[in-house]
Amino acid sequence: MIVDLRIYTTLPNRMAEFVTLYQDKAWPLQLKYLENCLGWYTTVEGALNTVVHLWGYADQGDRERRRTAMAADPAWGDYLQEAGARGLLIKMENRILRPTAFFEAFRAARRG
């Protein structure tokens, strides 16, 4: 398994608008195509105006197939266009994470 960690920084006082737009237009599409959301968060302390979400994939090929299918959906293009037109974001980042061997062993032991 790999995890796609995505971090979005919004303009000050625009995070709620970004979250609402995402919830209404992007969330249904991402659930349809990406399926495995591990968490979706907004910051309370630290770097403010930040949204963080994590998506689990079997491997990099699985991630690429799912994201390519989502990108081909016209509704995804509509969401991206609207998000860009509103100018809500300052920065977008993503990192691909791989679990450590000891964590994988922990997960396997918990599953029984």
Side-chain angles (χ1 to χ4, degrees), residues 37-51:
C37 183
L38 303 176
W40 215 97
Y41 308 94
T42 57
T43 54
V44 177
E45 294 184 18
L48 299 178
N49 307 303
T50 303
V51 172

Side-chain angles (χ1 to χ4, degrees), residues 68-79:
T68 297
M70 183 177 68
D73 189 316
W76 183 250
D78 293 344
Y79 161 71

Side-chain angles (χ1 to χ4, degrees), residues 37-112:
C37 183
L38 303 176
W40 215 97
Y41 308 94
T42 57
T43 54
V44 177
E45 294 184 18
L48 299 178
N49 307 303
T50 303
V51 172
V52 176
H53 45 113
L54 301 100
W55 296 87
Y57 301 95
D59 53 37
Q60 187 64 22
D62 179 41
R63 177 184 177 273
E64 289 176 19
R65 280 187 297 280
R66 290 175 181 277
R67 293 196 62 84
T68 297
M70 183 177 68
D73 189 316
W76 183 250
D78 293 344
Y79 161 71
L80 293 178
Q81 184 176 16
E82 184 171 349
R86 290 191 191 191
L88 303 172
L89 297 176
I90 295 172
K91 181 168 75 170
M92 300 183 330
E93 305 172 61
N94 83 298
R95 296 177 178 94
I96 302 300
L97 309 173
R98 180 179 49 224
T100 60
F102 70 85
F103 183 72
E104 283 295 310
F106 168 77
R107 280 186 34 194
R110 296 216 36 197
R111 284 191 295 250

